[in-house]
Amino acid sequence: MNMAKPSKLGPVTEVVDPQELYRVITQASSQNPAEVRASSKRVEELLDYFGTFDGLHEIAATRSVPLPVRKQSIIQFKNKALNHWRSRKLLSDEHRLRIRVRCMTFFDEEDDTIAECNEVIVAKIARHDYPMNWPSLLADIMDVIRTNLQVLCGSPNSDPRSTLVLRRGLALLNCVLKEFSGIKMLTGVKTMANIIDQLHDVMFAYYSQLSTMISSLVPPALSDQRTADNLIVAHLIYKCLAKMALWLWPRLIKPDKGGFAKLEPWFLQLFQSSTGQLKILSELRINLVLALRGSGASDRLTLLSVDRLTRHVRIFGKFFRRLQQLEPAKFVELPTGNEIVLYYWDRVVQATNGPPELIQDTPTAVFPVRFLLQAMVLFKENLARWTPFRKGGPKTETTLSQEFVEDAVRLLVSRFIPLNPADLKGWMSDPEEWVNLEDKENDQWEYELRPCGERVLMTLSSQYKDYVTPLLETTFKQTIAQPTVDLASVIQKEALYCAIGRCATRLRDVIPFSQWLRHNLVAEARETNPNYPIIKRRIAWLIGKWISDMCTPANDPKVWEILIHLLRDRGPGTDSVVRLTAATALRECVDTVDFDIDVFAPYLPAAATELVKLMGEADTMEVKQRLAKSLNVVIECAGPRITPHAQMISEGIPQLWTAAGDEWLFKAQLLVVVTSLVSAMKEQSSLTPLIVPLVREGLSEGVAINLDEDALNLWLAAIRNSSSLSCAGGPGLIDLVPLAVSLLSNNLDLLGKIVSIVESFLFVDAPAILQSFSLPLMNAFVKALTGQAILTNQKDILICLQFLTQLAPAALWGEAMHVAGLFSHIVNLLNHDESSATLLTECVYLLARIALADRQMFLQLVSATAQTANLPEAKVWEAVLDHWWRQFDHMSEPRHRKLAALGMASLVSTGCPEVLDRLPNEIFNLWTDVFFEVKESRNLADNEDASPLTLHWDLDQVPQSYYAESEDTLEFDRRKMFLDNDPVRTIQLTNYVAAALQEAESTCGGVHIFNQYISKTDPTLLKQLQDELRSE
């Protein structure tokens, strides 16, 4: 092997030893697991060596090397080299040139894995290098295709090597087209346009040449290798054509044709010839398969040819479907577009008119399931454009007659919607998995005949309601009166019930649902016929569908009677599928706008009991999770009425939790159930012994990444709905405070929610919290504030601290606030020029609350902070008082401005010289501003009969954020009571200020000394202040 020298640019990179690389790759491809493990690390290391990628590619291209080693080499190259294709550290220009040349030597590669890897490699390299650094790529591929296609078409005998080269060339071209068609950048778009310019005519000519050969097949020819070769080559050519056409289509439908108007005739020619070819090949295939079934031929080549013909027919449907998906409105306007969709539907009709065995999910079936699905999906999507009742938009010439629509509905209800033997077998062999798959049909309807048939029926009933509604109504009236005993009649009735449920919104005015419930469904739900689980399951589904689609409110006791019976019945004529479906239907009926708890209340005990029982019986976590969701909805909608059943529900949780292991989705749902239970029961909840371990485990290491959000929601709900933090019979919520403190200190991701939890703790019993955890809590607050917490979280912490100072006496928090350094941190924030105005304002609110709560504690904190920082007290007072005045203008709410005024008055009353020095200017100005707001508000409300103290605050409602989303919990009441007793609302400011001034006069040494402070006041300001104080 020749290794080019690494570039001298950039850091020095080790050069790979070709012999070592070969040896390591040989070991990596060994059948011996020990050798593979030993070599894997060295392979990873060598991938960072210069020349490794070129060496891997050369090994893969060397035919004499053992096949497993070649496979390992090209897979490693595909997975690693393409991401570093432009790296000068790992590849030189010489390497890249050699690799591009080698890529073109794989056309006759016999191993499919190596060939497919090469296709991906060429496409990815072409994305970087074509056309600038690899100008010959397209011409080289097309030369290979042209040469070998001539051999295929011109020779009467099959040439295996030439055919292989042709197949590889076409597959490579298809991969390149796929790569470029996905590029959105302008350069890539231009390249793709250039490729199409070169290829569109020649590829169309190639396909036309082959299509004449495969359109005239006769049964004996199917066993000829030449036929199989022609089919696969034609298929690959058409795939290339379809990719080019699908890339053009969105551009051609733009007003200016996207600059591709010259290619529109080619596109239309391709589309029209495709519709014609599909008809020819489809009919040909049906006749060939029928002939083979008659003759019994089943040799390898015949089966291969049929399989390739089936795949080729199906690619036309994929092409049409993709065009339809990209632009449905324009698809119906394409010439022969509607005609081909109706042809597809005719094949559906033809298939259902024959014996059932003609429809199978195999390539050799007369009507393969995948072909019929394509037909039904194309038909369904076009229906919206064919309706005669369509409002707005251009009308197409294609509309369906009443007879056509009615025949389509009958066909769907009688042949596609009924359960088939495979459905029943799946039901019996694995009921839970069957229910899971049924629920997933909403997403997978394009891939299964029965759900696809249901969606076609729904579209027909929506677009042709004047035809479909009367037909289903008549069929309903005829069917419900007939006896249903044998399996066939049971299956047919189930299909009708399915149709009624799917079209519920169209039928609600013509089907007497309540009468049907009482006269028919109640009796059918209690039938013990062994075939009746089929109908019972559909009855439960139908009731859920009818009520959840708002066709009728769930206020008829018969609804609940039927669902509860189906939910708990374990006698003959029912099974677990019925019970699980009833559980889902129960959730759908309960979770509606018109749900009436008074009607449901008698059935609540049975509903809760049976859902818990079913959760314990279920085998799969997916089913358990679905049942838990149903139980959760029942709890949420039942509210306090669930309380008598809470113990029964909660007793089953620990066992379910333990059995769930690492099934995090189910565990999360269990946490949601307990959260709903706590929220419903409020103060009557006795679930604390269950909640505490659930929260601890949900937030433990390794588990929190999956459950933290749900565990925090449970924790918050438990505190907000509790009246006490202790619990007589086990661990209490107060035992979770250390966890809250730890998370507050160390978990930035959860900080916002943890602050809310701490705040809720304080509202329940702040003294109890602070007696045991005052210092750890203050330390945690400081760590959070001094860490990387975002501004919003810092603000929330300061608000939480404001509540703390009001909810507990200063003796419980003052010392801890100093020892932890919290007060000094606040002072430092005030001194920091870059601090946010929002944050500084919250700091002032906190200082005001401290002063209002205990002014002597405030003085002690200032003194201790100055001593700790080795500063004069005057410096600390300067920072505090400067920002108290500066941030006053940032206080938008009058309640906050009054708080600042009250807090300052409290400090004035101490007679502290540093504070009194500010009286003549800042403090008097601050007070008169607030006095004016109060006075102004009172003037606005002079004519109202209300107490003087509440007039202003009646006009100043606290924002909703004050309640922190605690509505419908005990905490909301606690917050409201706390707000009503807030000194800011209960203390008259003028009286408080007057008393503070008198106290300051006494404290500072008498009137003469006090007058020395106020004598500096502007006379006008002083008179204004005196007038305000006297007016009260």
Side-chain angles (χ1 to χ4, degrees), residues 338-351:
N338 294 324
E339 180 186 330
I340 195 61
V341 174
L342 288 172
Y343 170 81
Y344 269 110
W345 181 254
D346 285 342
R347 299 293 70 72
V348 174
V349 175
Q350 182 184 355

Side-chain angles (χ1 to χ4, degrees), residues 85-101:
W85 180 247
R86 291 181 172 171
S87 168
R88 288 188 292 177
K89 176 184 171 186
L90 302 174
L91 286 159
S92 67
D93 289 341
E94 185 183 345
H95 287 157
R96 282 184 274 268
L97 177 61
R98 287 209 300 257
I99 290 169
R100 286 194 294 263
V101 170

Side-chain angles (χ1 to χ4, degrees), residues 14 41 95 500 583 627 665 670 730 762 767 831 838:
E14 291 191 62
K41 184 179 178 182
H95 287 157
I500 291 169
L627 290 165
L665 291 176
L670 287 178
L762 295 172
N831 280 321
T838 302

Side-chain angles (χ1 to χ4, degrees), residues 624-920:
K624 287 179 186 284
Q625 187 178 345
R626 188 177 296 113
L627 290 165
K629 285 181 180 177
S630 296
L631 178 61
N632 185 61
V633 170
V634 169
I635 293 169
E636 285 181 337
C637 295
R641 299 196 194 200
I642 200 67
T643 303
H645 319 293
Q647 185 176 354
M648 178 274 299
I649 295 171
S650 62
E651 284 174 351
I653 299 291
Q655 185 177 351
L656 290 167
W657 180 273
T658 305
D662 292 340
E663 295 288 342
W664 305 118
L665 291 176
F666 179 53
K667 282 191 164 182
Q669 191 60 50
L670 287 178
L671 291 173
V672 171
V673 168
V674 180
T675 304
S676 297
L677 207 53
V678 169
S679 301
M681 296 171 68
K682 295 186 169 56
E683 72 274 15
Q684 299 178 55
S685 170
S686 57
L687 301 177
T688 306
L690 172 65
I691 292 166
V692 172
L694 285 178
V695 170
R696 280 178 173 156
E697 185 171 342
L699 293 169
S700 61
E701 190 175 353
V703 176
I705 192 171
N706 300 293
L707 299 179
D708 56 2
E709 185 176 349
D710 296 295
L712 289 170
N713 288 337
L714 171 58
W715 193 357
L716 188 59
I719 303 170
R720 286 183 164 175
N721 288 288
S722 291
S723 54
S724 169
L725 297 179
S726 58
C727 179
L733 291 172
I734 199 163
D735 295 315
L736 289 174
V737 174
L739 176 59
V741 170
S742 172
L743 293 171
L744 189 62
S745 300
N746 304 313
N747 197 318
L748 275 175
D749 294 334
L750 305 179
L751 188 56
K753 203 62 170 279
I754 292 297
V755 173
S756 297
I757 286 170
V758 171
E759 196 170 286
S760 295
F761 263 128
L762 295 172
F763 270 105
V764 179
D765 194 346
I769 299 287
L770 293 173
Q771 280 169 4
S772 302
F773 306 103
S774 183
L775 185 57
L777 184 59
M778 291 297 176
N779 282 326
F781 277 135
V782 172
K783 189 169 182 183
L785 285 169
T786 54
Q788 301 296 314
I790 60 173
L791 178 63
T792 303
N793 290 341
Q794 292 188 57
K795 179 183 174 183
D796 290 342
I797 290 171
L798 292 171
I799 292 171
C800 182
L801 284 164
Q802 293 167 40
F803 288 133
L804 180 148
T805 60
Q806 300 169 78
L807 289 163
L812 292 177
W813 48 260
E815 184 181 353
M817 191 175 280
H818 167 65
V819 173
L822 180 59
F823 193 87
S824 62
H825 176 68
I826 300 298
V827 174
N828 289 337
L829 280 176
L830 296 176
N831 280 321
H832 203 282
D833 293 337
E834 295 181 6
S835 296
S836 155
T838 302
L839 206 59
L840 292 174
T841 307
E842 291 297 339
C843 288
V844 173
Y845 297 156
L846 174 58
L847 294 173
R849 287 293 181 188
I850 295 172
L852 204 52
D854 191 326
R855 57 197 175 193
Q856 291 305 319
M857 180 60 73
F858 194 102
L859 296 181
Q860 290 177 39
L861 286 168
V862 169
S863 175
T865 299
Q867 189 175 350
T868 303
N870 199 22
L871 290 170
E873 282 188 35
K875 283 289 183 183
V876 178
W877 279 113
E878 183 182 344
V880 169
L881 296 172
D882 279 354
H883 278 280
W884 207 301
W885 173 244
R886 287 178 195 168
Q887 302 310 317
F888 185 66
D889 286 339
H890 292 126
M891 301 174 190
S892 57
E893 294 182 49
R895 65 191 177 100
H896 286 143
R897 292 163 75 84
K898 182 178 177 183
L899 169 62
L902 286 170
M904 186 56 71
S906 182
L907 293 180
V908 167
S909 70
T910 64
C912 177
E914 288 85 0
V915 178
L916 296 182
D917 279 339
R918 308 277 182 135
L919 267 177

Side-chain angles (χ1 to χ4, degrees), residues 346-356 358-359 367 411 415:
D346 285 342
R347 299 293 70 72
V348 174
V349 175
Q350 182 184 355
T352 52
N353 287 335
L358 297 185
I359 303 174
F367 297 103
L411 181 148
R415 291 300 303 270

Side-chain angles (χ1 to χ4, degrees), residues 138-157:
L138 208 58
D140 291 344
I141 296 173
M142 291 308 294
D143 281 346
V144 170
I145 292 171
R146 183 180 62 256
T147 303
N148 291 281
L149 187 62
Q150 288 173 352
V151 173
L152 179 71
C153 297
S155 170
N157 301 316

